[in-house]
Every structure is written in C-alpha cells, then in structure tokens.
Amino acid sequence: MKYLHAFCIAAAMYSRLPVPNVRWDEESKAMVLFFFPLLGVIEGGLLYGIARFLLFGRVSAPLAAFVMTAAPLLFTGGIHFDGFLDTVDALGSWKGKAEKLAILKDVHAGSAAVLQGGLLLLSVFASWETVFSGGATVRILPQVLCGFLLSRALSALSIFVLPNARGAGTVYDFTAEKQRQRGRGISLLYLLLGSVWLMLTGTRLTGFVILAAVLAAALYSACRARFSFGGMTGDLAGFLLTNCEAAAVFAAACISCLNSL
C-alpha cells in the first residue's frame, strides 16, 4: 500500500492523472521520487498514441507539432515549465545565490522568463514540425518519446546527487538522507533501462544522438544549478527536465533533417 500511496502522491504532484487523494505520511513521501520517472513512461505512451492518431488522420505537420508541444504541458499542468521560467528569471538577474533563490520563489514572471520560455516553446514546436515533415516519423517516435523517461530519471538523479540549495521545501521532504543512496541507485536503473529502450526501438545512430543530447542538457543544467544556486531545488529540477525534453526533440529533428538529405 505504501508504494501505491507514493505513486499517487507523485502523480498528483507532477501530472494531471486522475488519482485518489492519499495521506502524505513520511514513509510514502520518502519514496515519491522513486516513482517519478514512471510518469515519463506514462506520458511517453500517451504522446505516442496521440502522435499515431495524428499520423493516421494525416493532420498537417504544423498542427501536429502544436498538439505535441501543448500535450506535455497539459499532462503535467506546466509544473516543470514553471520551474524553467523561474530559473531563467533568476539566472538572468545576475545576482548572488541568496537573491537568486529568492527570485525562484517569486510568483511574477520577468522578461527573461517570457523571452526564453517563448523561444523554448518555439524551438520545440519547430523540432516537432520537422519530425512530422520527415519520412521516418513512425520509426523515430518511440526513441524521441523515450526522452520523457530519461529526463525524469536524470532530474531525480540530480536531486539525489546534488545538495539541496535551500535545506527546505517539497523536494527536501522527498529526499530523506537515509533514502538518498537508494534513490541514486533507482534513478540510475531507470536511466539504464531508458537508454537500452532508446537503442532497441530504432537505429543506434538516432538513439546515440538523442541520448547524447539529453545527457548534455542534463549536465549543463546541473552545473548551472550547482554553481549558480549551490545545489538543487524543485524549480531547478524542472529546469533540468524541461531542457532534457527539448534536447530530445531537437536531436530527433536533426536526425530527420539528415534522413531527408
């Protein structure tokens, strides 16, 4: 039952899946991030079904790209994208760590959030449009959608590896010290399974390019979090996750362009 409670808490926090309300006891909270990457599997499966429906209906590439750009935001309620916006606002302030952490909690959106958030959505839209315009969409889809699992595995791993920048908050509550080693192991297992899936569901070249892009985005995001904020927070984990998902779609678009040459 405690595992079911932990999954329900994860689904309620990080998605819009219809799950029952459960009691947030300490034991369940400590396992929430263990189930977090599973939401990426569910999201990827739903998006795969949507994408195949769009292809079956011969929906135009721009409209299909819009649906695939909007669907993840609707699935998550925008919680991770909100973390991305808060983070770029804080980074754009060029202030000290304490001031940046304070900006992360500010509910107002600054110019950096509007500009970089808009550019990110446009890049994801353009990448999906390129994928749907290519001739290998069906073959690439399972691999690019694997990015939703990999991004969450890397996001959870960063939380268990890096120190908590605040020493408080929801993420701090989810990462009890006695669970950190176990959390790192489980996150690495998800990452390994996602990487194997990536290589087995399409060409190895495509899998390697997508994996390299996702890992590079995660490394960049983790370094920005560590050196600019002193560690991870929930917003910074969302920043990392959003960058990884965008990198996966962009990498798939690059492969589509190469295949069309």
Side-chain angles (χ1 to χ4, degrees):
M1 188 61 68
K2 63 182 179 181
Y3 299 110
L4 179 60
H5 280 196
F7 173 78
C8 288
I9 294 173
M13 280 285 298
Y14 301 112
S15 78
R16 288 297 178 263
L17 290 175
V19 295
N21 292 324
V22 297
R23 184 169 56 88
W24 286 42
D25 58 86
E26 293 299 321
E27 190 174 21
S28 297
K29 286 197 299 183
M31 294 187 294
V32 164
L33 292 178
F34 299 169
F35 292 93
F36 177 55
L38 286 180
L39 297 176
V41 177
I42 296 171
E43 183 178 359
L46 291 174
L47 290 176
Y48 181 78
I50 292 172
R52 292 304 300 263
F53 177 79
L54 294 171
L55 289 170
F56 178 78
R58 297 185 179 181
V59 174
S60 64
L63 181 55
F66 168 77
V67 172
M68 295 299 288
T69 302
L73 296 175
L74 297 175
F75 178 84
T76 63
I79 185 172
H80 307 304
F81 188 61
D82 178 71
F84 173 87
L85 297 178
D86 289 339
T87 300
V88 296
D89 252 351
L91 290 172
S93 71
W94 296 100
K95 295 183 178 180
K97 292 180 182 179
E99 291 88 347
K100 287 177 182 176
L101 287 171
I103 293 173
L104 288 181
K105 300 179 70 174
D106 191 342
V107 298
H108 300 93
S111 58
V114 174
L115 176 62
Q116 295 190 47
L119 288 175
L120 181 92
L121 291 177
L122 283 173
S123 68
V124 172
F125 172 84
S127 297
W128 275 121
E129 200 276 338
T130 303
V131 170
F132 276 91
S133 298
T137 309
V138 174
R139 188 177 72 240
I140 291 178
L141 269 176
Q143 291 180 288
V144 64
L145 294 177
C146 182
F148 292 94
L149 166 59
L150 295 174
S151 64
R152 282 161 177 77
L154 288 165
S155 181
L157 181 62
S158 69
I159 291 171
F160 286 116
V161 169
L162 296 177
N164 188 281
R166 284 200 185 98
T170 303
V171 166
Y172 182 79
D173 293 337
F174 288 166
T175 52
E177 188 61 35
K178 62 181 180 181
Q179 297 284 6
R180 291 182 72 87
Q181 183 173 355
R182 186 182 175 192
R184 288 191 289 268
I186 292 176
S187 299
L188 285 170
L189 178 60
Y190 278 122
L191 182 60
L192 176 61
L193 292 175
S195 301
V196 171
W197 176 21
L198 189 62
M199 297 301 174
L200 293 180
T201 53
T203 66
R204 290 185 179 180
L205 175 61
T206 301
F208 176 79
V209 172
I210 292 176
L211 180 61
V214 171
L215 290 176
L219 180 61
Y220 161 78
S221 302
C223 288
R224 293 303 301 269
R226 183 67 180 91
F227 295 112
S228 296
F229 298 89
M232 293 300 294
T233 68
D235 286 323
L236 295 171
F239 173 72
L240 185 149
L241 187 153
T242 302
N243 284 333
C244 289
E245 289 183 351
V249 184
F250 181 77
C254 292
I255 292 295
S256 294
C257 290
L258 291 175
N259 290 335
S260 62
L261 293 178

